[in-house]
Amino acid sequence: MAAALIVVGGVWLGIAVGVPVAARAVASRTSPAVERVMGDNALSTLERVALRPTTLSAVRRAEISQRFEALTSRVAPEAGCRLVFRSGPTMGPNALALPGGAIVLLDELVTLSANDDEIVAVLAHEVGHVVERHTMRQLLQTSAAGVLLAALVGDVVSVTSCAAALPTFLLNASYSRAFEREADQFAVRALDRMGIDRRRFLEALERLEAQAGSGAVPGWLSTHPGAEERARLIAP
């Protein structure tokens, strides 16, 4: 019995502690080219099954892009982030961070937001996911040892099974609470550096939560901690 408990404890420790540590190490060493290929392929798949061309005007896209570039140049100049506009009728208000730096902003989130500072706040959170490589880390943790090893040696063919699962993961993105807190903290620091009141982030979260409570598609907030919990973290 004691031996069995030791084995079970060792397995649990390896999964709970070892896999996240290994995933972080491997994600940091994964070739940026591999990540970009995974992100581009995931975007192509999402465009076939859930995303549609944006309906935002060129002027509106330029306004948001300018704010996004000001954000990334200030807080994440080396991350290689780029903004992609799409519509997601079945996804609701949403934004997605893809491996390789692409951040997909859906029209529905733009429409729901009261002002551009709220959009910047949500985008800052997604930039945090890119900087911390959360999508790759979560995907590697989920795929565990086999894909971790494949990614470490840069075997793109062996990573195919992991890449194939990426669109499904993004549609049902469920980052760990630790990852969400890291992205929230990054967003708050970014807003402070940009001179934007961090309450804009709370207001965006509250608006998204109200949208979910109304019975509409919950979108971005559906797999994120509630606004009340985040208020304690974000409040000055």
Side-chain angles (χ1 to χ4, degrees), residues 2-54:
L5 289 174
I6 291 173
V7 170
V8 171
V11 171
W12 177 86
L13 187 64
I15 293 174
V17 179
V19 169
V21 170
R24 184 181 192 118
V26 171
S28 68
R29 296 177 60 185
T30 301
S31 166
V34 171
E35 285 197 65
R36 283 194 296 272
V37 169
M38 291 177 66
D40 290 346
N41 289 341
L43 180 59
S44 296
T45 300
L46 291 173
E47 287 172 336
R48 290 196 298 271
V49 301
L51 301 182
R52 300 292 180 267
T54 181

Side-chain angles (χ1 to χ4, degrees), residues 188 198-199 202 230-236:
V188 168
R198 60 176 62 179
R199 285 177 296 184
L202 284 176
R230 280 177 153 160
R232 296 191 292 271
L233 176 67
I234 297 169

Side-chain angles (χ1 to χ4, degrees), residues 51 84 86-88 91-95 104-111:
L51 301 182
V84 178
R86 294 291 185 272
S87 174
M91 297 178 67
N94 216 323
V104 183
L105 176 63
L106 300 189
D107 295 355
E108 291 75 12
L109 182 57
V110 175
T111 301

Side-chain angles (χ1 to χ4, degrees), residues 24 32 34 58 81 84 96 105 118 126 133 151 168 177 200 208 224:
R24 184 181 192 118
V34 171
C81 295
V84 178
L96 306 171
L105 176 63
E118 290 187 3
E126 296 303 323
R133 308 183 91 164
T168 301
R177 289 296 179 94
R200 299 293 87 80
L208 287 160
H224 293 62

Side-chain angles (χ1 to χ4, degrees), residues 173-188:
S174 182
Y175 293 109
S176 71
R177 289 296 179 94
F179 287 175
E180 290 298 344
R181 291 191 188 98
E182 285 182 2
D184 283 345
Q185 290 165 354
F186 181 94
V188 168

